[in-house]
Amino acid sequence: MPPIFQTSTYVQQAPNVHKGYDYARVGNPTRTALEKLIAGLEGADECACFASGCAAMDAVLKMFRPSDRIIASNDLYGGTYRLFTEVFAPFNIDFVFVDMTDIDQVKQAYNEQTKLLWIETPTNPLLRVVDIQALTDFARHNDILSLVDNTFASPYLQQPLELGADMVLHSTTKYLGGHSDVIGGAVATSDEEIMEKLRFQVKTTGAVPGPMDCYLTLRGIKTLSVRMKQSVENAKAIADFLDNHPAVGQVNYPGLESHQQHEVARKQMKDFGAMVSFSLKDDSQEKAKEFTSRTKIFALAESLGGVESLISHPASMTHGSMPKKVREKAGLQDSLIRLSIGIEDQEDLIDDLDQAFE
Ligand code: PLP
């Protein structure tokens, strides 16, 4: 097992003569082990790990300059939206939000200043699926970069670099860590210039994960495939159950044949993931909130991707920082409920939802 190098510094043989590590903000062997593992999973040459998914996003965004345009999905993690609009937009980075399932909207948003396509797929929380290959082809054709936030799928289900993306980003807090016991982030790429800029950010701004956190994430990743298999199997059964339930309105799950981008998901994902969102037929925010506090196995909590199933109300929780108008424009109703399906017994999970409906 990779040891936990719980140190802030390293003894040198002579000034600046050392074994590859001089100071732990810059590098740590436990972190290196994690970076190599994630790079391998994503088919990347290299990976840089960060203290959180948001810190990873922050480091990427610092590669851009005032008046640069970034085109992003209008349905994405609320914290990403907050980072874009409240931290980087005031520095004059120009963000345009479009429905990326419609490539024409991306083409219309493109101008000479555009530098990056920021893709999240499946999207959070509406589980739309964006055609990665189509968008990375467009990016390459126009000589701009593309990034895929692969948090919802994990590298077990989807490998964006193979589909032409320049960078793949993770909140390792989720499926990679897998046990809701650690916060972390990562960016993997095979582009040397990008990696040099990211390493510069790591060294200079220092939002790095501690060695214990790297160890926990390394340990979590060992069971990624078995966790994903079980979670996806449960998610499929739960999506079917919801789809046939008289109290349920819309069910968002890429594995349902009725899902608008089911074919795209089939093409670019190994399986359909373990996130499901749905609305109640009684389309009220109150009923949705009440439902989320009635489950007993699904714990009411933010986050996703752990072995335990979670339930949440995106409009007031993960996406609370998005103004209501922006949420509505993206199609995120106040009555939406989001499930992160874990590895528990499938019947127990369905029974739990059933008793909450009752
Ligand atoms: N990207 C996605 C898709 C997320 O869902 C999240 C967090 O929920 C993040 C990024 C941010 O990651 P972190 O919470 O590790 O900062």
Side-chain angles (χ1 to χ4, degrees):
M1 293 298 110
I4 302 163
F5 283 83
Q6 194 69 52
T7 182
S8 63
T9 192
Y10 310 88
V11 173
Q12 307 194 8
Q13 291 97 308
N16 217 21
V17 179
H18 53 75
K19 296 175 182 163
Y21 296 91
D22 54 1
Y23 186 59
R25 175 170 11 88
V26 184
N28 175 292
T30 318
R31 197 194 319 159
T32 304
L34 177 62
E35 291 177 338
K36 287 195 167 149
L37 182 58
I38 297 176
L41 290 174
E42 288 290 1
D45 287 349
E46 282 191 82
C47 169
C49 282
F50 294 88
S52 69
C54 285
M57 299 196 275
D58 179 73
V60 170
L61 291 167
K62 284 175 183 151
M63 293 196 288
F64 299 92
R65 293 291 171 261
S67 84
D68 284 351
R69 172 170 285 195
I70 295 175
I71 304 175
S73 169
N74 63 0
D75 174 29
L76 83 178
Y77 170 53
T80 310
Y81 180 84
R82 184 176 55 214
L83 184 65
F84 288 176
T85 56
E86 292 186 43
V87 178
F88 285 92
F91 287 105
N92 214 15
I93 307 270
D94 175 25
F95 295 95
V96 183
F97 299 94
V98 299
D99 177 356
M100 285 192 154
T101 62
D102 176 6
I103 191 159
D104 287 338
Q105 290 195 25
V106 177
K107 288 179 182 165
Q108 272 164 23
Y110 174 81
N111 69 8
E112 293 276 285
Q113 307 301 321
T114 307
K115 296 289 180 338
L116 175 72
L117 297 187
W118 188 290
I119 303 162
E120 192 180 294
T121 183
T123 61
N124 182 1
L126 292 169
L127 284 310
R128 292 186 181 132
V129 177
V130 176
D131 189 331
I132 299 175
Q133 185 76 62
L135 285 188
T136 60
D137 284 351
F138 174 79
R140 214 153 284 260
H141 180 74
N142 290 286
D143 209 16
I144 61 173
L145 296 172
S146 57
L147 173 148
V148 176
D149 183 334
N150 203 21
T151 300
F152 261 41
S154 90
Y156 178 71
L157 297 180
Q158 174 171 281
Q159 292 180 311
L161 298 188
E162 252 183 34
L163 298 168
D166 296 294
M167 288 169 263
V168 55
L169 183 141
H170 279 282
S171 165
T172 57
T173 313
K174 311 297 187 311
Y175 289 105
L176 291 175
H179 298 77
S180 307
D181 56 6
V182 61
I183 295 276
V187 184
T189 181
S190 295
D191 184 316
E192 270 179 42
E193 205 182 312
I194 292 175
M195 190 42 72
E196 203 178 307
K197 288 181 180 169
L198 291 173
R199 295 253 181 252
F200 179 78
Q201 285 299 329
V202 166
K203 175 166 114 174
T204 308
T205 60
V208 295
M212 183 66 192
D213 288 356
C214 292
Y215 165 79
L216 284 171
T217 311
L218 275 164
R219 192 164 74 161
I221 291 174
K222 287 177 197 294
T223 54
L224 176 68
S225 68
V226 283
R227 284 187 284 108
M228 283 314 286
K229 275 181 203 146
Q230 180 68 32
S231 292
V232 171
E233 203 179 299
N234 285 348
K236 285 178 179 166
I238 286 167
D240 277 340
F241 165 77
L242 293 171
D243 207 27
N244 291 306
H245 198 284
V248 172
Q250 165 94 15
V251 181
N252 305 311
Y253 182 64
L256 291 174
E257 276 178 25
S258 57
H259 187 281
Q260 276 206 331
Q261 296 91 32
H262 177 67
E263 285 311 316
V264 182
R266 192 178 278 286
K267 186 180 71 171
Q268 71 188 17
M269 298 175 76
K270 180 168 162 177
D271 216 328
F272 300 105
M275 296 297 297
V276 179
S277 64
F278 67 100
S279 55
L280 298 177
K281 267 222 177 91
D282 177 340
D283 203 20
S284 71
Q285 163 153 224
E286 291 66 38
K287 275 272 162 14
K289 280 188 167 171
E290 190 186 343
F291 186 88
T292 59
S293 43
R294 294 255 175 192
T295 52
K296 293 178 178 151
I297 298 177
F298 283 88
L300 174 58
E302 304 231 357
S303 204
L304 59 119
V307 289
E308 298 90 0
S309 294
L310 301 180
I311 189 165
S312 69
H313 178 246
S316 65
M317 297 168 71
T318 48
H319 291 68
S321 55
M322 254 187 194
K324 189 173 163 65
K325 265 195 183 150
V326 178
R327 291 200 307 263
E328 277 172 359
K329 198 165 166 229
L332 198 177
Q333 320 94 302
D334 285 352
S335 57
L336 193 80
I337 296 166
R338 192 187 79 176
L339 303 176
S340 168
I341 315 289
I343 66 169
E344 302 94 331
D345 181 80
Q346 199 175 100
E347 262 178 52
D348 283 351
L349 291 176
I350 290 175
D351 287 351
D352 190 30
L353 293 173
D354 212 18
Q355 64 79 31
F357 281 121
E358 286 293 316

